[in-house]
Short mmCIF file of all heavy atoms in Angstrom, two decimals:
data_model
loop_
_atom_site.label_atom_id
_atom_site.label_comp_id
_atom_site.label_asym_id
_atom_site.label_seq_id
_atom_site.Cartn_x
_atom_site.Cartn_y
_atom_site.Cartn_z
N VAL A 169 -23.18 12.18 23.86
CA VAL A 169 -23.27 10.72 23.64
C VAL A 169 -22.23 9.99 24.46
O VAL A 169 -22.58 9.00 25.14
CB VAL A 169 -23.13 10.42 22.12
CG1 VAL A 169 -23.00 8.92 21.87
CG2 VAL A 169 -24.27 10.96 21.35
N LEU A 170 -20.98 10.41 24.34
CA LEU A 170 -19.88 9.63 24.97
C LEU A 170 -19.87 9.81 26.47
O LEU A 170 -19.47 8.89 27.21
CB LEU A 170 -18.54 10.08 24.36
CG LEU A 170 -18.33 9.70 22.89
CD1 LEU A 170 -16.91 10.00 22.44
CD2 LEU A 170 -18.70 8.22 22.64
N LYS A 171 -20.25 11.01 26.98
CA LYS A 171 -20.32 11.20 28.42
C LYS A 171 -21.27 10.16 29.06
O LYS A 171 -20.93 9.56 30.09
CB LYS A 171 -20.72 12.63 28.73
CG LYS A 171 -20.68 12.99 30.19
CD LYS A 171 -21.11 14.44 30.42
CE LYS A 171 -21.14 14.81 31.86
NZ LYS A 171 -21.61 16.22 32.07
N GLY A 172 -22.42 10.01 28.43
CA GLY A 172 -23.39 9.06 29.00
C GLY A 172 -22.94 7.63 28.86
O GLY A 172 -23.14 6.81 29.76
N PHE A 173 -22.27 7.35 27.70
CA PHE A 173 -21.73 5.98 27.49
C PHE A 173 -20.70 5.64 28.53
O PHE A 173 -20.75 4.58 29.12
CB PHE A 173 -21.19 5.85 26.07
CG PHE A 173 -20.51 4.54 25.81
CD1 PHE A 173 -21.23 3.41 25.70
CD2 PHE A 173 -19.14 4.50 25.72
CE1 PHE A 173 -20.58 2.15 25.48
CE2 PHE A 173 -18.46 3.30 25.54
CZ PHE A 173 -19.19 2.12 25.40
N PHE A 174 -19.73 6.49 28.69
CA PHE A 174 -18.67 6.25 29.64
C PHE A 174 -19.20 6.16 31.07
O PHE A 174 -18.75 5.37 31.89
CB PHE A 174 -17.58 7.30 29.54
CG PHE A 174 -16.58 7.04 28.42
CD1 PHE A 174 -16.40 7.96 27.40
CD2 PHE A 174 -15.83 5.89 28.36
CE1 PHE A 174 -15.53 7.76 26.37
CE2 PHE A 174 -14.93 5.66 27.33
CZ PHE A 174 -14.78 6.59 26.35
N GLN A 175 -20.17 7.01 31.41
CA GLN A 175 -20.76 6.99 32.74
C GLN A 175 -21.31 5.61 33.07
O GLN A 175 -21.19 5.12 34.16
CB GLN A 175 -21.82 8.10 32.85
CG GLN A 175 -22.39 8.25 34.26
CD GLN A 175 -23.41 9.36 34.30
OE1 GLN A 175 -23.92 9.79 33.28
NE2 GLN A 175 -23.68 9.86 35.49
N ALA A 176 -21.96 5.05 32.04
CA ALA A 176 -22.54 3.67 32.24
C ALA A 176 -21.44 2.63 32.42
O ALA A 176 -21.74 1.53 32.94
CB ALA A 176 -23.42 3.31 31.03
N CYS A 177 -20.26 2.92 32.03
CA CYS A 177 -19.12 2.04 32.18
C CYS A 177 -18.28 2.34 33.44
O CYS A 177 -17.22 1.71 33.61
CB CYS A 177 -18.17 2.17 30.98
SG CYS A 177 -18.94 1.75 29.38
N GLY A 178 -18.80 3.28 34.26
CA GLY A 178 -18.03 3.61 35.46
C GLY A 178 -16.84 4.46 35.21
O GLY A 178 -15.86 4.45 35.97
N ILE A 179 -16.87 5.28 34.12
CA ILE A 179 -15.78 6.11 33.71
C ILE A 179 -16.26 7.54 33.58
O ILE A 179 -17.33 7.81 33.00
CB ILE A 179 -15.10 5.65 32.43
CG1 ILE A 179 -14.48 4.25 32.61
CG2 ILE A 179 -14.09 6.65 31.88
CD1 ILE A 179 -14.01 3.63 31.29
N ILE A 180 -15.46 8.49 34.05
CA ILE A 180 -15.75 9.94 33.86
C ILE A 180 -15.06 10.47 32.64
O ILE A 180 -13.86 10.32 32.49
CB ILE A 180 -15.34 10.77 35.09
CG1 ILE A 180 -16.08 10.30 36.33
CG2 ILE A 180 -15.57 12.26 34.84
CD1 ILE A 180 -15.54 10.88 37.60
N LEU A 181 -15.79 11.05 31.71
CA LEU A 181 -15.20 11.73 30.53
C LEU A 181 -14.88 13.13 30.92
O LEU A 181 -15.70 14.03 30.99
CB LEU A 181 -16.18 11.72 29.35
CG LEU A 181 -15.70 12.39 28.05
CD1 LEU A 181 -14.41 11.75 27.54
CD2 LEU A 181 -16.79 12.35 27.00
N VAL A 182 -13.63 13.37 31.29
CA VAL A 182 -13.12 14.64 31.81
C VAL A 182 -13.07 15.70 30.71
O VAL A 182 -13.64 16.77 30.80
CB VAL A 182 -11.73 14.48 32.47
CG1 VAL A 182 -11.23 15.84 32.92
CG2 VAL A 182 -11.84 13.55 33.63
N ASP A 183 -12.37 15.36 29.65
CA ASP A 183 -12.28 16.21 28.46
C ASP A 183 -11.78 15.35 27.30
O ASP A 183 -11.39 14.20 27.43
CB ASP A 183 -11.37 17.42 28.69
CG ASP A 183 -9.93 17.04 29.03
OD1 ASP A 183 -9.36 16.10 28.45
OD2 ASP A 183 -9.32 17.73 29.91
N PHE A 184 -11.80 15.92 26.10
CA PHE A 184 -11.35 15.21 24.90
C PHE A 184 -11.12 16.20 23.77
O PHE A 184 -11.66 17.36 23.82
CB PHE A 184 -12.30 14.14 24.43
CG PHE A 184 -13.68 14.67 24.09
CD1 PHE A 184 -14.00 14.97 22.78
CD2 PHE A 184 -14.64 14.82 25.06
CE1 PHE A 184 -15.30 15.42 22.45
CE2 PHE A 184 -15.93 15.28 24.75
CZ PHE A 184 -16.28 15.61 23.40
#
Side-chain angles (χ1 to χ4, degrees):
V169 171
L170 294 188
K171 186 179 177 183
F173 172 72
F174 279 120
Q175 186 176 19
C177 300
I179 296 173
I180 299 170
L181 179 59
V182 176
D183 61 38
F184 60 94

